[in-house]
Amino acid sequence: MATLLHLDSSALSQGSTSRDVAETFRKAWEEQHPDGKVVYRDLAANPLPHISEAGITALFTDAAERTAEQQAAFDLRNELAEELESADAVLIAAPMYNFSIPSSLKAWLDQVIIMGRTGGENSSVAGKPTTVVTSRGGSYAPGTPREGFEFAATYLEKVLGGLLGLDVDVIAAELTLARSVPAMAGLIDQSDASRAQAHEAAATKAKALAARLSA
């Protein structure tokens, strides 16, 4: 029975493109793999604490000598690491905020990346298939004026692939603000097309991945 770890990070509970596309992925996964398991975390609704001194020093302190604060921080990091290690596939919904990822997702990354365990050359999660669903209010495609300002998908590819060794695939929906920003009204058709393509890609990739893991 395969397990999918699904993380949402959009601050919007409704009207979020990244949540909607990730939901399409998840539904397709569940339809293809009805006996599978989904572990879900809404990092915006239930944010994790940012990495702390206790969380860092606990890793280098003998268990018998840890303070209560260090032990609590250690237990959280261990829980998150085990959650990631136990998953057969990962789904991360990450809208781009101010050219980067939501702080709620950064908090998860800082907690779950444990060098010598999940992070580093012998990562315990290396090779795990990971789908990132990202959404962008404008366009950051090659050739656009803001091509070099995209630090959400590019950052996640580096940190997930480079530090955790995950096998990362990105689905992006662009121009998501076209219907709400008057100056972008001329881009509505392109926005709708990008969103439709993202949903289609999510369904296709989820079905293929679920079938592969069920084989």
Side-chain angles (χ1 to χ4, degrees):
M1 181 177 71
T3 298
L4 174 69
L5 174 60
H6 176 187
L7 307 175
D8 268 325
S9 62
S10 173
L12 300 175
S13 60
Q14 301 293 327
S16 165
T17 299
S18 66
R19 285 181 183 271
D20 288 346
V21 175
E23 183 65 17
T24 292
F25 183 104
R26 176 173 171 169
K27 286 181 177 178
W29 164 281
E30 291 174 327
E31 290 171 0
Q32 183 72 28
H33 193 47
D35 295 327
K37 177 182 178 182
V38 176
V39 175
Y40 178 66
R41 278 188 181 270
D42 188 331
L43 300 174
N46 298 290
L48 296 166
H50 290 292
I51 194 70
S52 65
E53 180 179 8
I56 295 172
T57 58
L59 299 178
F60 309 102
T61 304
D62 186 87
E65 299 178 0
R66 289 178 194 143
T67 65
E69 184 182 11
Q70 284 179 317
Q71 189 59 53
F74 178 89
D75 289 344
L76 174 61
R77 299 193 73 181
N78 184 60
E79 175 187 351
L80 296 172
E82 288 183 343
E83 211 167 64
L84 179 59
E85 290 166 338
S86 298
D88 297 288
V90 183
L91 171 64
I92 300 175
M96 186 168 74
Y97 290 166
N98 302 315
F99 306 135
S100 188
I101 63 171
S103 61
S104 60
L105 179 55
K106 181 62 164 61
W108 178 81
L109 288 167
D110 288 340
Q111 295 283 8
V112 83
I113 296 172
I114 302 173
M115 299 307 295
R117 182 177 173 179
T118 58
E121 293 184 5
N122 299 310
S123 168
S124 58
V125 296
K128 200 178 294 290
T130 300
T131 303
V132 171
V133 174
T134 188
S135 56
R136 308 157 184 163
S139 179
Y140 298 78
T144 60
R146 286 189 167 178
E147 175 185 354
F149 288 74
E150 202 292 310
F151 300 110
T154 51
Y155 168 74
L156 288 172
E157 287 176 318
K158 298 296 188 297
V159 72
L160 295 174
L163 284 180
L164 292 170
L166 300 173
D167 182 10
V168 183
D169 188 28
V170 176
I171 299 172
E174 294 201 318
L175 302 167
T176 61
L177 292 177
R179 288 188 174 276
S180 57
V181 177
M184 296 177 65
L187 300 172
I188 288 177
D189 288 346
Q190 289 175 252
S191 171
D192 291 347
S194 180
R195 187 188 300 261
Q197 289 171 0
H199 279 285
E200 182 179 359
T204 299
K205 293 177 185 293
K207 290 177 182 177
L209 181 58
R212 190 181 92 195
L213 293 176
S214 299

